[in-house]
Amino acid sequence: MTKSNDKKVPALRFKGFTDDWEQRKLEQLKLLKRMISLSIYPNFNDRIPIKFNLNSTWNKKKLKNITNYKNGTTHEQHQLLKGKFELINLNSISKEGRLKSSGKYINQQFPTLRKNDIVMILSDIAHGQLIGTSAVIPTNNKYILNQRVASLSPNENLNAVFISKYINLKQRYFKKMAAGMSQINLSKKDVEDFKLWVPNFKEQTKIANLLINFDLIEKNKNKKISYLLNLKKFLLQSLFL
């Protein structure tokens, strides 16, 4: 092993065992993605961001002017561990803004979310990291909105991923607006009053695709790290029986 306690890699390694180095690469990738995101999306002042298209005009909008807001409703009495429709609840969105399974389903027919609807967390514990976090619905006729989660349906010529990434990068606004003590909540007005700069649809799509590619690279890196850690655990258990 190396003499320094700060280094988690041995001096001699088997070929392919690069898990700690892969973790470092992943952290560098996350930092790069954030730096690029901050360069693309403007702050709350009037600074225009880096442009993909120099001829594109960015206009300041409120969410209420470019999306249709809806609140979720309670479905606790219908919840199942398996079912036809998956509930979008407070456990459905990761702090990175990715949609994940809530593990809750219903069979009753209620209005379903549409592909490219944006879903947002409206409640969290005090100092929680999820308040205002959003994700994009990937398909039609599969998901139903539960209480304490909102949906935002973008108007025509608006890219849902562009808007969701913008929202997730500006979490400071939503944390500031959230009210409550042990539990904090966002109101419809808090959400709809959020201001953002919006370019034309073509430039929105270019920005969204760039950030989607970063997400895919990050996801693959996570899978590789998980595989290496599991393999190392298996080998260590086999060696020290």
Side-chain angles (χ1 to χ4, degrees):
M1 298 290 292
T2 56
K3 293 181 180 180
S4 172
N5 291 329
D6 294 332
K7 295 182 179 180
K8 297 182 179 179
V9 295
L12 180 64
R13 311 197 81 193
F14 290 101
K15 184 178 179 180
F17 284 79
T18 58
D19 47 295
D20 291 304
W21 293 335
E22 292 295 335
Q23 183 65 50
R24 190 185 311 155
K25 290 178 186 176
L26 177 61
E27 295 305 318
Q28 290 172 344
L29 176 67
K30 289 179 179 179
L31 178 60
L32 177 61
K33 182 175 74 172
R34 179 163 179 81
M35 290 174 63
I36 290 175
S37 297
L38 288 170
S39 298
I40 292 172
Y41 291 111
N43 292 321
F44 294 110
N45 57 27
D46 292 330
R47 181 181 66 82
I48 300 297
I50 291 175
K51 291 186 174 185
F52 282 65
N53 179 359
L54 293 177
N55 296 320
S56 174
T57 300
W58 289 61
N59 298 301
K60 186 180 285 187
K61 304 282 187 180
K62 287 187 177 182
L63 275 179
K64 68 180 178 182
N65 300 131
I66 60 173
T67 63
N68 181 30
Y69 177 102
K70 290 182 181 178
N71 276 318
T73 55
T74 181
H75 296 286
E76 271 68 18
Q77 68 273 28
H78 303 301
Q79 285 186 15
L80 302 167
L81 295 179
K82 292 182 179 180
K84 184 177 180 181
F85 303 105
E86 183 173 347
L87 284 176
I88 296 295
N89 62 20
L90 298 179
N91 296 317
S92 297
I93 305 173
S94 72
K95 64 181 181 179
E96 294 82 18
R98 297 192 182 97
L99 199 67
K100 60 180 185 175
S101 176
S102 66
K104 302 295 182 182
Y105 299 84
I106 62 173
N107 286 325
Q108 285 78 3
Q109 182 69 56
F110 290 93
T112 57
L113 292 160
R114 297 179 301 171
K115 181 179 179 180
N116 290 327
D117 279 349
I118 300 165
V119 288
M120 178 188 286
I121 300 294
L122 297 179
S123 297
D124 199 0
I125 58 172
H127 308 296
Q129 299 300 309
L130 291 175
I131 193 77
T133 306
S134 70
V136 177
I137 296 296
T139 187
N140 291 318
N141 303 318
K142 180 179 178 180
Y143 300 99
I144 290 177
L145 199 65
N146 203 34
Q147 63 179 347
R148 296 191 288 173
V149 185
S151 73
L152 298 161
S153 301
N155 296 345
E156 191 175 353
N157 292 325
L158 288 163
N159 186 291
V161 173
F162 172 86
I163 296 173
S164 179
K165 295 290 187 184
Y166 204 130
I167 289 169
N168 292 339
L169 192 66
K170 306 300 183 181
Q171 285 299 293
R172 184 174 60 180
Y173 166 85
F174 296 100
K175 287 179 172 61
K176 180 181 178 181
M177 299 306 296
M181 297 296 289
S182 60
Q183 178 175 299
I184 53 177
N185 302 283
L186 289 170
S187 68
K188 178 181 178 181
K189 185 177 186 303
D190 294 333
V191 175
E192 290 192 321
D193 281 350
F194 175 70
K195 297 176 182 177
L196 62 166
W197 285 94
V198 182
N200 63 37
F201 183 74
K202 184 177 180 180
E203 188 161 4
Q204 291 175 49
T205 302
K206 285 183 178 180
I207 291 169
N209 288 342
L210 172 66
L211 297 178
I212 287 171
N213 286 333
F214 268 105
D215 287 344
L216 290 174
I217 295 170
E218 186 178 326
K219 183 178 180 180
N220 289 332
K221 282 287 184 185
N222 275 317
K223 284 183 177 179
K224 185 175 182 180
I225 291 169
S226 179
Y227 167 77
L228 289 170
L229 290 174
N230 287 332
L231 180 59
K232 181 170 74 174
K233 181 179 179 181
F234 168 77
L235 290 174
L236 288 172
Q237 289 174 340
S238 300
L239 285 169
F240 298 103
L241 286 176

